[in-house]
């Protein structure tokens, strides 16, 4: 992915992923400010990763289209100090 990418939307139906999320190199996207995640499979994969994977430059994080997830483990979000609250 281009290092200067500022916005990224990723969606998945079901739990099928052709690559592991850690191979995407999201942490290298230092200009990424908006990330939208859709689907249980992608969110489950993110919550299982032990090292910070998302860039600290994120200001906006959108999570939707969840059907099986009842609770979010926030440990994978703790390093995101730049997130803003938008209602």
């Amino acid at each position: 992915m281009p290092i200067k990418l500022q916005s990224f939307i990723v969606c998945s139906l079901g739990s099928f992923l052709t690559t592991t999320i850690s191979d995407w190199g999201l942490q290298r996207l230092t200009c990424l400010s908006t990330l939208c995640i859709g689907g249980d499979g992608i969110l489950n994969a993110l919550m299982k990763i032990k090292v910070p994977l998302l860039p600290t430059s994120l200001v906006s994080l959108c999570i939707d289209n969840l059907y099986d997830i009842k609770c979010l483990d926030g440990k994978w979000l703790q390093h995101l100090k730049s997130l803003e609250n938008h209602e």
Side-chain angles (χ1 to χ4, degrees), residues 15-29:
S15 59
F16 178 75
L17 292 173
T18 57
T19 62
T20 60
I21 290 180
S22 57
D23 291 339
W24 294 0
L26 293 175
Q27 68 277 12
R28 294 182 301 122
L29 303 177

Side-chain angles (χ1 to χ4, degrees), residues 32-51:
L32 190 68
S33 62
T34 302
L35 176 63
C36 294
I37 301 168
D40 293 316
I42 293 173
L43 192 61
N44 274 326
L46 281 170
M47 287 193 296
K48 289 179 185 175
I49 294 174
K50 303 293 183 213
V51 296

Side-chain angles (χ1 to χ4, degrees), residues 10-17 19 21 24 26 35-50 53-54 58 61-77 80:
V10 59
C11 298
S12 149
L13 298 174
S15 59
F16 178 75
L17 292 173
T19 62
I21 290 180
W24 294 0
L26 293 175
L35 176 63
C36 294
I37 301 168
D40 293 316
I42 293 173
L43 192 61
N44 274 326
L46 281 170
M47 287 193 296
K48 289 179 185 175
I49 294 174
K50 303 293 183 213
L53 181 66
L54 301 177
L58 277 182
L61 176 63
C62 171
I63 301 171
D64 62 7
N65 294 325
L66 302 179
Y67 300 100
D68 294 326
I69 294 179
K70 305 290 184 230
C71 174
L72 286 179
D73 178 355
K75 292 177 185 172
W76 61 283
L77 299 172
L80 300 176

